[in-house]
Amino acid sequence: MATQGIPERVRDFREGYRAKYVGPRYSGRAHFAFTSLGSLAVIGFSLSRLEGVRPLEWLTVPAVFLLGNVVEFLGHRGPMHHRRKGLGLLFQRHTEQHHRFFTHEALAYESARDVKMVLFPPVLLLFFLGAIATPLAALCFALVAPNVGWLFAASAVGYYLTYEWLHFCHHLPPEHPVARLPVMQRLRRHHQTHHDPSKMQRYNFNITFPLSDWLFGTAWRPGVPSGADLPGASVPKPDLDA
Ligand SMILES: [Zn+2]
Ligand SMILES: [Zn+2]
């Protein structure tokens, strides 16, 4: 494993996390395949149900993508970075684990087994499908039109998969051909800045496209004070079980 250039505290955290949480049967490739193929199957099935879509109904797609961008922003700025009752697991997995496994100085994963710390757990895809996407799509289906329901389902799952794929790309080794694409380099820099512990509580909460960061004024620019300079800033404690 290439550990060159990785700060010691990150290296120690990674070793501790792998030993404690990544079991011998875990496969990063299977995890990636489950997320990708599971999502694509739902998208394909939903699109196959469309019949004679009217121009106005197609607007469901950009509307869901805009909504998804705001939800991503609020979820990340809220419970993923602030411990909230009933959502403590999100805070633990994101702020206390993901942000210590990856910092702005060590953004790339080292092996397929580290994918566990990049993608959401498979059970979250099932939860997202069962508890969020399906009921909302069913409402659209019943109250607006069947096509809008199926387009809602396809777009919502499409957004989830976009999030997972782009976040995965942000944590690729920088020499990977996909990571070297100009658009990916730009998006990656946005996320890399967010992984700086002094900025993570205040800047760059979008993981896909920085639209909401721009709307809500949280896009970091050189010269803007970091979170460490502002009152109320906090950096997670360095204990594995916190
Ligand atoms: Zn990340
Ligand atoms: Zn974060």
Side-chain angles (χ1 to χ4, degrees):
M1 249 182 226
T3 53
Q4 239 178 354
I6 298 175
E8 201 179 329
R9 67 182 192 290
V10 175
R11 211 165 50 222
D12 288 349
F13 182 81
R14 287 183 177 188
E15 277 165 17
Y17 180 88
R18 288 175 188 131
K20 190 168 176 184
Y21 294 106
V22 188
R25 290 174 60 206
Y26 174 78
S27 159
R29 287 181 182 84
H31 189 172
F32 186 87
F34 178 85
T35 298
S36 303
L37 299 178
S39 301
L40 288 173
V42 175
I43 295 167
F45 178 76
S46 302
L47 294 179
S48 77
R49 309 304 292 172
L50 295 174
E51 277 177 33
V53 184
R54 288 181 303 193
L56 216 59
E57 292 175 336
W58 283 116
L59 286 180
T60 309
V61 179
V64 170
F65 267 72
L66 284 178
L67 179 72
N69 197 271
V70 175
V71 169
E72 164 194 322
F73 173 88
L74 294 177
H76 189 185
R77 193 184 62 169
M80 285 162 84
H81 274 286
H82 298 92
R83 200 185 290 278
R84 300 266 157 82
K85 221 176 166 188
L87 297 170
L89 210 63
L90 280 178
F91 177 83
Q92 184 195 37
R93 229 189 109 77
H94 187 76
T95 299
E96 296 182 337
Q97 295 178 346
H98 180 73
H99 270 280
R100 286 163 62 203
F101 201 99
F102 300 108
T103 69
H104 59 307
E105 298 166 312
L107 200 68
Y109 65 72
E110 294 173 68
S111 81
R113 293 173 60 73
D114 290 350
V115 170
K116 183 155 190 188
M117 202 59 288
V118 181
L119 298 178
F120 287 129
V123 69
L124 207 76
L125 172 64
L126 302 177
F127 172 80
F128 173 76
L129 283 176
I132 300 172
T134 304
L136 290 177
L139 269 183
C140 292
F141 184 98
L143 300 180
V144 190
N147 279 339
V148 174
W150 291 117
L151 282 172
F152 183 96
S155 310
V157 179
Y159 196 92
Y160 182 92
L161 186 58
T162 304
Y163 177 106
E164 288 288 67
W165 277 354
L166 283 176
H167 193 208
F168 177 78
C169 291
H170 299 337
H171 291 286
L172 280 172
E175 62 276 10
H176 192 283
V178 173
R180 291 174 61 183
L181 296 172
V183 63
M184 295 312 301
Q185 284 187 23
R186 257 191 100 147
L187 295 176
R188 180 191 178 93
R189 269 200 299 276
H190 187 82
H191 192 57
Q192 184 163 22
T193 299
H194 173 73
H195 268 278
D196 179 341
S198 73
K199 299 186 180 76
M200 70 175 183
Q201 300 280 31
R202 290 178 188 267
Y203 297 110
N204 295 13
F205 294 106
N206 274 129
I207 283 158
T208 57
F209 309 102
L211 192 69
S212 299
D213 274 319
W214 174 72
L215 272 177
F216 291 90
T218 50
W220 186 79
R221 294 274 173 273
V224 170
S226 70
D229 307 324
L230 298 165
S234 67
V235 172
K237 293 177 234 92
D239 56 307
L240 198 60
D241 296 315

